[in-house]
Amino acid sequence: MTVLIAGCGDLGTEVGLRFAAAGHDVVGLRRSPEKLPAEIRGVFADLSTSVPELPGDVDIVVVAIAADASTEDAYRAAYLNGVKNVLDALEGQSIEPRRILFVSSTAVYRDSGGAVVDESTPTEPTRFSGRVLVEAENLLFSRTHGSNTKPISLRLGGIYGPGRTRLIDQVRSGKAVIPAQPRHTNRVHRDDAAAMIVHLTTMETAPDSVYVGVDDQAAEMGDVMRFLASEMGCPEPPTAALGDASDAGPGDKRCSNKRLRATGFQLTFPTYKEGYRALLAGEGVRHP
């Protein structure tokens, strides 16, 4: 079958390589298609403005867009315009894929004070990033309603993996500070995120419309930092004073992957420990 990856950065490329390895024809849209590996047929596209002519036999679409900057305008240009332009192109060319998966984020949920969050939790984002993602999700759901296309929103936690070493670098350099107030971090290794996308778009049973894509353990940030320090033989990071500016953060929630797990999905890196050990061992490559 033909798979369209709209937004073929690091995650999208990993997804495309997995589809190609399974024998599928993969088309990747991005502004620098020459950077894509030979297994993916690269096509130039600035998804924020338009989408080029697409293969007529597209069966699966993965929208894996990244914003150029952390501003509301950049988010709207990337996610909202991107989803709209992909849907416009499919409709304009009378292409009705079997499934469209939009890579969303757990940013659609507000701080829950450490309580568990899942697909049934209302989306009440307090930041522009979450609000724009909810708009993009709703656009996908409304535009595909009544069609033969099944829309899926995969709300990923914080992606880490090859080349995404900010926390490792902070701990190693001594710049990391443990929050004074316990704060959970919801993570997913890039390879598991890519595997989730392939699984949900190809599984035999009909998928639900929304899945939370995180690993098995919402871990306290302090525990993650202490673990990294121990693994690298670095001093344990200090703890911030209550009310210190460095203690400001994105809130506290524990995201659950039970719905995803119930589909039979298996994680390669079930917790941050397996994932970060693989990173520290130099496993994996970040795609350009």
Side-chain angles (χ1 to χ4, degrees):
M1 64 186 177
T2 301
V3 179
L4 175 71
I5 313 285
C8 223
D10 178 44
L11 176 60
T13 299
E14 181 64 27
V15 171
L17 288 172
R18 288 168 184 252
F19 274 119
H24 304 302
D25 181 27
V26 182
V27 177
L29 304 181
R30 65 179 284 175
R31 282 178 289 194
S32 49
E34 70 282 354
K35 293 181 180 178
L36 290 173
E39 296 93 328
I40 300 173
R41 183 150 50 98
V43 175
F44 173 82
D46 182 346
L47 296 172
S48 67
T49 57
S50 64
V51 173
E53 192 77 16
L54 302 174
D57 60 347
V58 170
D59 195 51
I60 288 171
V61 176
V62 176
V63 183
I65 303 167
D68 287 338
S70 189
T71 65
E72 182 162 356
D73 285 347
Y75 266 64
R76 288 191 172 278
Y79 296 105
L80 211 52
N81 291 1
V83 168
K84 178 184 180 298
N85 289 331
V86 169
L87 293 171
D88 285 349
L90 292 169
E91 185 179 306
Q93 296 171 47
S94 300
I95 302 169
E96 198 168 57
R98 191 164 51 90
R99 291 176 188 171
I100 299 179
L101 184 144
F102 172 61
V103 177
S104 186
S105 163
T106 55
V108 300
Y109 302 114
R110 66 183 304 160
D111 176 7
S112 70
V116 174
V117 167
D118 64 16
E119 294 83 359
S120 66
T121 305
T123 52
E124 300 171 330
T126 54
R127 294 166 181 251
F128 72 81
S129 54
R131 289 195 294 269
V132 172
L133 288 167
V134 169
E135 283 187 57
E137 287 185 1
N138 289 338
L139 179 64
L140 172 62
F141 295 146
S142 64
R143 289 279 299 269
T144 53
H145 183 72
S147 73
N148 293 317
T149 298
K150 175 63 184 181
I152 308 164
S153 176
L154 177 59
R155 296 169 177 168
L156 293 177
I159 301 174
Y160 71 105
R164 301 174 191 252
T165 57
R166 185 174 58 88
L167 192 58
I168 290 173
D169 297 339
Q170 287 178 343
V171 172
R172 185 179 277 140
S173 66
K175 293 179 181 177
V177 178
I178 294 171
Q181 298 278 14
R183 186 188 312 139
H184 290 87
T185 170
N186 300 277
R187 292 172 185 266
V188 61
H189 191 285
R190 181 207 64 188
D191 292 359
D192 278 330
M196 290 172 186
I197 293 168
V198 175
H199 172 75
L200 292 173
T201 52
T202 59
M203 64 189 226
E204 288 188 17
T205 54
D208 284 311
S209 294
V210 177
Y211 290 90
V212 172
V214 294
D215 65 19
D216 287 342
Q217 184 180 359
E220 284 193 14
M221 182 61 86
D223 290 342
V224 179
M225 290 180 178
R226 292 184 194 97
F227 169 79
L228 287 174
S230 174
E231 290 289 305
M232 295 188 290
C234 299
E236 183 177 304
T239 300
L242 272 172
D244 190 290
S246 61
D247 194 39
D252 188 26
K253 57 191 176 228
R254 289 183 294 146
C255 298
S256 168
N257 66 6
K258 281 186 179 178
R259 177 179 289 184
L260 179 67
R261 283 295 222 167
T263 66
F265 181 76
Q266 298 291 319
L267 288 154
T268 301
F269 305 102
T271 77
Y272 68 90
K273 292 182 178 180
E274 294 87 358
Y276 275 117
R277 281 189 177 128
L279 271 189
L280 292 171
E283 296 176 16
V285 176
R286 181 158 185 172
H287 304 297

